[in-house]
Amino acid sequence: MQIETATPSDIPALCGLLSVLFSQEAEFSPDTSAQARGLAMIVGDPLVGTVLAAWQDGEVLGMVNLLFTVSTALGERVLLLEDMVVAPSARGDGVGSALLQAAIAFAREQGCPRITLLTDTVNVDAQRFYARHGFVASPMKPMRWLAI
């Protein structure tokens, strides 16, 4: 498995990954054009952020969207982990862990001392996953987790 920064040519495969995920949600109808626009905005401007994609044998296994922001509470530039998606066929293969470690390494390379991510407060599995990888709950906002 290789984890690489996504390029514009990767957008159709990434949208395909998102569509598979969203098709599993009974109350969600994917808007592929909105997905493509959102990904193009991130992929097309390194000042906005980056998308890291996990690939194996030409197939996208997962992706993580990282957006730059400034924390007024912390007074520093941070990365917002907006979304992490792993293909259903690759779950349990360590793709999520590898993407999370790559996101942390990317944040450090960019001079961001922490990553803020939004996770649903009722999603206990997500909270445990992030806690296993060194994330700690922020005392300021219960839905935000910080990697330090």
Side-chain angles (χ1 to χ4, degrees):
M1 173 177 52
Q2 300 99 13
I3 297 178
E4 302 169 347
T5 300
T7 66
S9 65
D10 297 330
I11 291 175
L14 299 175
C15 285
L17 175 64
L18 290 173
S19 293
V20 168
L21 175 75
F22 292 144
S23 69
Q24 297 174 348
E25 300 288 333
E27 298 177 7
F28 190 85
S29 176
D31 181 344
T32 54
S33 62
Q35 293 169 1
R37 281 193 310 273
L39 287 169
M41 182 182 71
I42 301 168
V43 170
D45 189 348
L47 295 177
V48 172
T50 197
V51 176
L52 299 176
W55 297 88
Q56 186 168 347
D57 300 325
E59 179 184 357
V60 63
L61 302 178
M63 60 183 278
V64 61
N65 293 347
L66 301 166
L67 302 174
F68 288 113
T69 188
V70 175
S71 169
T72 53
L74 298 170
E76 60 190 21
R77 187 176 188 223
V78 297
L79 272 175
L80 172 67
L81 193 156
E82 179 193 34
D83 202 5
M84 183 165 63
V85 179
V86 176
S89 62
R91 292 187 184 147
D93 293 339
V95 176
S97 296
L99 283 167
L100 192 54
Q101 294 303 323
I104 292 169
F106 179 80
R108 289 184 179 140
E109 288 170 10
Q110 299 301 312
C112 294
R114 53 188 87 223
I115 297 176
T116 300
L117 63 120
L118 301 178
T119 186
D120 192 336
T121 55
V122 298
N123 190 338
V124 176
D125 288 338
Q127 292 178 19
R128 288 181 183 148
F129 175 83
Y130 293 124
R132 280 197 310 270
H133 293 283
F135 283 71
V136 295
S138 165
M140 294 177 287
K141 300 212 181 245
M143 286 185 66
R144 292 181 180 236
W145 291 64
L146 304 176
I148 48 178

